[in-house]
């Protein structure tokens, strides 16, 4: 027993000693409260730092230093740091540092750290901290283009995209292609911080054209900046910009200053699916922690430089849908990556970055079709709300506000059944809208000769439009339980409350057929060379993509008397088709000098003879009886389908002037007849009374 007591005492002493060592280590680590703010005012950076009272008292005679680091070493060391201010250690300190150094280099993207000096070596006492109001020195404040919807595409055809209802476009810029490290007589020159930089003319002029198109079409453009280089004469590989050397830092900073100065874009996506840094070959040698540290520096540098030029600029941190890490090397789960990024941003001075999510290739489509369980390790249309809820957590917010989110990619090219791809796109689109995403960008092919008029294209056109009820066949393929709530659905059974196409048909058929259009008055203009001139530069020029013959598809156009249009609310087009196709109706008022047609609507046709109705009430509001109106009808086969189709009948539905008069006459006659009927009834009653009196006598 005595031996056991001795052993117990020894154990307790050991625990106390270990606890005391752990406590000292923890307290030393938390000695310093840290840098509380780094802000610009009047071209001066004010840095406020707080020291633990005990540390300040113990080191009151010692000097502490503010170091500025432009860039970032992979290991987070202070290599290359510059001493920019110093003071005796106190509980609260404020340092003033010039924004621009003696040779004209801005400290706008520098990381500042409070350090102590031991011999010739500096040791950090705090986390790095960045300037949190770089917009204070911006000379430009250009906000993004106004958009009313979330529909987007990735690619370089801004005009073509805008014509089919696209409001958001992502364009890619490879830093390795546009930045020239050597003098080129033909290069575009840009002076930044007293140094001239050179940019590839072809790449710059490509971007110039895109932004000119975007300005004309009102499209919101997002620039994805990447660093792609050929490795060993093989495929392009994603790389991190070199932020560990002076030259690499200068080239990176000047690049973002150039973009913000030259273009009106405010949205910049920094990299691509960065949480899968190994798979997308950002680095094959860095550990996850080192990669996260350098990427955070890259994102912050881009943010501060961009906002110092245009105060409305915003960066996006892009992740893929690998929500939880699957343990593979080079992959960080998007949830963990975003958590780490947010934590780092707060520690270094939080800023208003946004988040971009790539939905991959529809990983949950199979589960949707088979109505079976889904592996929730990835984000898909099924569980997109989980991603949104995560971003809405307090630790992810910026100043209590939820960060902006966009879908920056979804590619369904590998889905063999086009109706399934259309169904998935529809579901993902409305789920994204319901969960507060500001843009939904499809990154696969969606239009062009091989894709135009297909199911996915049709779903893309209809999503977000007033004709979305025509998507019911697609959403039903995925099962009612997965269809999102949006306008046109009930919240209970998630089925359509109101089928817009059916309603138009019912309303049209209640109207009088006021004018049967003579098909002999129509001319077939199915020659591809006529499309551009007919439809105009900025209207539905996507019809150029459909190489049609008049026998099975094309455009028919003819004149309609304005007096018939004025009194009409609907157009009914009867088609006899041997296969599904798209029917499109357009109108043009020739009397106004209009060069292009007004798009009335389009719908998917069925096999056989059917009538399709279009609401033209908005168009008729601006039409006078004396105007000359041209009606254009387009019927486009799906894909390479060359089955025959013909327009059987075209009629206007409404109440004509003569029809109104007829109604009035009928009403008047009815009133007169009613009056006569009443008079006759009175006479009959009086006659009966007289006869009764005579009988009594």
């Amino acid at each position: 027993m005595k031996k056991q007591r001795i052993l117990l005492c020894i154990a307790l002493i050991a625990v106390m000693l270990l606890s005391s060592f752990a406590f000292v280590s923890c307290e030393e680590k938390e000695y310093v409260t840290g840098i509380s703010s780094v802000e610009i005012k009047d071209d001066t950076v004010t840095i406020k730092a707080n020291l633990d009272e005990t540390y300040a008292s113990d080191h009151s005679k010692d000097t502490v230093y503010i170091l500025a680091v432009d860039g970032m070493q992979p290991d987070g060391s202070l290599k290359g740091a510059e001493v920019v201010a110093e003071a005796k250690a106190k509980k609260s300190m404020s340092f003033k540092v010039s924004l621009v150094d003696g040779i004209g280099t801005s400290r706008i993207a520098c990381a500042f750290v409070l350090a102590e000096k031991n011999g010739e070596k500096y040791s950090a006492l705090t986390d790095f901290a960045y300037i949190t109001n770089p917009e204070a020195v911006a000379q430009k404040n250009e906000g993004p283009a106004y958009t009313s919807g979330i529909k987007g595409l990735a690619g370089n055809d801004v005009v073509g995209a805008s014509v089919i209802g696209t409001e958001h476009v992502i364009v890619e810029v490879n830093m390795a292609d546009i930045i020239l490290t050597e003098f080129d007589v033909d290069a575009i020159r840009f002076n930044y911080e007293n140094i001239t930089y050179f940019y590839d003319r072809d790449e710059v002029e490509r971007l110039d054209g895109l932004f000119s198109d975007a300005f004309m079409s009102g499209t919101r453009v997002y620039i994805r900046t990447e660093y792609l280089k050929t490795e060993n004469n093989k495929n392009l590989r994603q790389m991190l910009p070199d932020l560990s050397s002076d030259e690499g830092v200068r080239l990176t900073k000047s690049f973002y200053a150039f973009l913000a100065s030259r273009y009106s874009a405010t949205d910049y996506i920094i990299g691509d699916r960065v949480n899968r840094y190994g798979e997308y070959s950002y680095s094959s040698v860095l550990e996850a922690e080192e990669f996260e540290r350098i990427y955070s520096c890259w994102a912050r540098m881009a943010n501060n430089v961009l906002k110092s030029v245009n105060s409305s600029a915003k960066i996006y941190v892009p992740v893929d849908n690998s929500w939880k890490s699957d343990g593979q090397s080079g992959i960080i789960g998007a949830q963990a990556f975003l958590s780490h990024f947010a934590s780092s941003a707060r520690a270094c001075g939080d800023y208003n970055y946004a988040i971009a999510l790539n939905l991959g290739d529809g990983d949950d489509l199979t589960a949707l079709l088979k109505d079976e369980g889904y592996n929730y390790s990835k984000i898909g249309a099924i569980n997109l709300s989980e991603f949104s809820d995560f971003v809405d957590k307090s630790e992810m917010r910026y100043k209590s506000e939820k960060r902006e989110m966009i879908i920056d990619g979804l590619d369904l090219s590998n889905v063999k059944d086009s109706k399934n791809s259309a169904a998935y796109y529809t579901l993902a689109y409305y789920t994204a809208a319901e969960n507060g995403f500001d843009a939904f960008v499809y990154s696969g092919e969606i239009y062009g000769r091989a894709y135009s008029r297909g199911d996915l294209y049709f779903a893309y056109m209809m999503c977000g439009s007033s004709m979305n009820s025509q998507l019911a066949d697609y959403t039903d393929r995925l099962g009612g339980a997965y269809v999102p709530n949006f306008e046109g659905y009930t919240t209970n059974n998630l089925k359509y409350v109101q089928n817009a196409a059916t309603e138009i048909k019912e309303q049209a058929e209640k109207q009088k057929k006021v004018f049967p259009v003579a098909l002999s008055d129509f001319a077939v203009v199915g020659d591809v060379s006529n499309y551009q001139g007919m439809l105009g530069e900025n209207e539905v020029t996507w019809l150029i993509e459909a190489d049609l013959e008049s026998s099975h598809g094309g455009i028919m156009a003819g004149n309609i008397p304005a007096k018939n249009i004025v009194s009409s609310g609907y157009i009914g087009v009867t088609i006899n088709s041997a296969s599904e196709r798209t029917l499109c109706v357009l109108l043009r008022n020739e009397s106004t000098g209009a060069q292009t047609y007004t798009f009335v609507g389009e719908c998917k046709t069925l096999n056989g003879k059917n009538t399709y109705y279009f609401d033209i009430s908005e168009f008729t509001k601006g039409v006078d009886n004396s105007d000359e109106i041209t009606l254009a009808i387009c019927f486009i086969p799906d894909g390479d389908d060359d089955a025959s189709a013909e327009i059987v009948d075209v009629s206007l539905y409404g109440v004509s002037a003569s029809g109104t008069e007829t109604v009035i006459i009928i009403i008047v006659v009815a009133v007169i007849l009613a009056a006569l009927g009443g008079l006759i009834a009175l006479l009959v009653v009086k006659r009966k009374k007289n006869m009764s009196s005579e009988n009594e006598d």
Side-chain angles (χ1 to χ4, degrees), residues 474-591:
Y474 296 136
T475 53
D476 286 346
R477 295 170 71 88
L478 303 183
Y482 294 116
V483 178
N485 299 325
F486 65 96
E487 186 177 359
Y489 282 89
T490 64
T491 55
N492 296 325
N493 59 12
L494 304 179
K495 297 296 182 184
Y496 284 100
V497 175
Q498 174 181 322
N499 185 316
T502 300
E503 183 188 26
I504 289 175
K505 178 181 178 181
E506 291 174 351
Q507 293 298 323
E509 291 180 340
K510 290 178 182 178
Q511 307 299 315
K512 179 181 177 64
K513 183 184 286 191
V514 296
F515 183 69
V517 180
L519 294 183
S520 59
D521 294 339
F522 275 65
V524 176
V525 288
D527 190 336
V528 175
S529 63
N530 291 332
Y531 290 170
Q532 185 78 19
M534 175 182 173
L535 298 173
E537 280 288 330
N538 296 315
E539 287 297 319
V540 282
T541 52
W542 37 261
L543 288 171
I544 298 171
E545 299 290 346
D547 189 4
L548 308 171
E549 298 175 6
S550 59
S551 62
H552 65 272
I555 301 175
M556 298 180 70
N559 293 330
I560 300 176
K563 63 180 181 180
N564 297 103
I565 278 284
V566 170
S567 58
S568 302
Y570 302 91
I571 288 180
V573 181
T574 303
I575 285 186
N576 189 9
S577 176
S579 67
E580 293 183 359
R581 60 197 59 236
T582 299
L583 173 65
C584 176
V585 171
L586 307 100
L587 288 167
R588 182 167 69 188
N589 190 338
E590 306 292 350
S591 302

Side-chain angles (χ1 to χ4, degrees), residues 112-171:
F112 297 93
V113 63
L114 187 65
E116 61 183 0
K117 188 175 183 181
N118 297 303
E120 297 299 319
K121 184 179 180 181
Y122 292 96
S123 300
L125 295 172
T126 66
D127 287 326
F128 291 103
Y130 291 87
I131 292 171
T132 55
N133 65 332
E135 64 277 4
V137 295
Q139 299 296 311
K140 186 176 177 181
N141 182 21
E142 295 183 2
Y146 170 77
T147 58
S148 59
I150 65 170
K151 192 179 299 181
L153 288 175
N156 295 320
D157 185 6
V158 175
V159 171
S162 66
V163 162
I164 61 173
T166 304
E167 296 187 75
H168 307 262
V169 171
I170 293 177
V171 298

